[in-house]
């Protein structure tokens, strides 16, 4: 007969029986040229995860994100808008940092948060806010900053309302980018 007072040993668990939270998964090191881009997170500034959520959602919309990543927004900045193009510039800058930053690092959305707070005071401070409200403001603000109407002449195909090369070079220098 077994002694019921003797402690029972738990059988060793196989890997498949080990709870997932307790397993160790090796992350292979990739050569620099094979390291995927865009694996950069966003720092949480207080309770500002609502900003990060909106930015990450917009970054996942490839045509939308590429508009900024390929600097197309620079050709559409409306410096006469109430925000003078600064919201679009700071949004584009943040997407560039996320896409081209050191993999598995994080960047601060602080400049974008500051711009949003300047034009929408309800988002100042570090309190929790509704992501849908921020997304609505952000999309409206980007639309306002980027609404330079372009007219293409049917006669000769010339573009009216587009920025001159000199104007674009100046804007790119101000934004800290090369032309």
């Amino acid at each position: 007969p077994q002694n019921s007072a003797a402690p029972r040993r738990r059988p060793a668990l196989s890997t498949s029986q080990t709870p997932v939270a307790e397993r160790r998964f090796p992350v292979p090191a990739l050569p620099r040229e094979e390291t995927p881009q865009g694996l950069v997170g966003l720092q949480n500034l207080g309770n500002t995860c609502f900003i990060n959520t909106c930015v990450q959602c917009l970054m996942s919309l490839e045509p939308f994100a590429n508009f900024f990543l390929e600097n197309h927004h620079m050709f559409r900045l409306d410096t006469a808008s109430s925000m003078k193009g600064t919201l679009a510039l700071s949004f584009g800058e943040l997407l560039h940092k996320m896409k081209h930053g050191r993999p598995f690092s994080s960047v601060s959305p602080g400049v974008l948060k500051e711009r949003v707070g300047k034009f929408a005071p309800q988002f100042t401070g570090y309190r929790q806010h509704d992501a849908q409200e921020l997304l609505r403001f952000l999309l409206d603000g980007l639309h306002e900053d980027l609404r330079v109407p372009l007219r293409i002449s049917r006669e000769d195909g010339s573009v009216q309302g587009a920025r001159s090369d000199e104007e674009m070079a100046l804007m790119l220098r101000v934004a800290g980018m090369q032309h």
Side-chain angles (χ1 to χ4, degrees):
Q2 284 187 335
N3 183 354
S4 60
R8 292 186 151 184
R9 288 188 186 177
R10 291 178 59 188
L13 296 175
S14 70
T15 303
S16 62
Q17 294 173 323
T18 304
V20 174
E22 295 175 15
R23 292 186 205 163
R24 300 285 183 243
F25 297 97
V27 177
L30 297 174
R32 183 74 177 147
E33 63 274 359
E34 293 181 28
T35 302
Q37 291 183 327
L39 296 176
V40 176
L42 290 167
Q43 296 168 1
N44 195 16
L45 308 172
N47 284 330
T48 58
C49 55
F50 66 98
I51 293 174
N52 299 355
T53 300
C54 292
V55 170
Q56 289 169 338
C57 285
L58 293 174
M59 181 77 164
S60 72
L61 301 172
E62 210 168 309
F64 184 85
N66 285 341
F67 178 81
F68 291 91
L69 293 170
E70 295 168 4
N71 293 324
H72 295 293
H73 65 292
M74 298 301 295
F75 296 94
R76 301 285 310 238
L77 286 176
D78 184 359
T79 55
S81 75
S82 65
M83 294 181 266
K84 309 279 189 249
T86 60
L87 183 67
L89 285 173
S90 60
F91 183 77
E93 179 184 354
L94 181 58
L95 292 192
H96 273 274
K97 288 179 180 177
M98 290 173 66
K99 180 71 174 180
H100 302 293
R102 192 172 42 91
F104 311 109
S105 66
S106 63
V107 295
S108 172
V111 173
L112 178 64
K113 183 195 175 310
E114 178 186 310
R115 292 282 177 248
V116 168
K118 180 176 181 178
F119 299 108
Q122 68 268 28
F123 295 113
T124 58
Y126 296 95
R127 297 181 317 273
Q128 183 82 20
H129 291 281
D130 186 62
Q132 186 268 339
E133 290 176 18
L134 176 76
L135 184 60
R136 184 174 182 174
F137 168 79
L138 193 55
L139 291 174
D140 285 345
L142 291 172
H143 178 258
E144 183 178 329
D145 267 1
L146 300 171
R147 65 174 177 203
V148 175
L150 300 178
R151 293 183 198 91
I152 300 174
S153 170
R154 291 183 183 203
E155 295 172 15
D156 64 359
S158 64
V159 178
Q160 299 167 346
R163 308 269 185 213
S164 69
D165 287 342
E166 295 82 25
E167 199 176 9
M168 278 307 304
L170 175 63
M171 291 171 70
L172 289 169
R173 268 196 311 278
V174 168
M177 301 175 188
Q178 300 295 324
H179 181 68

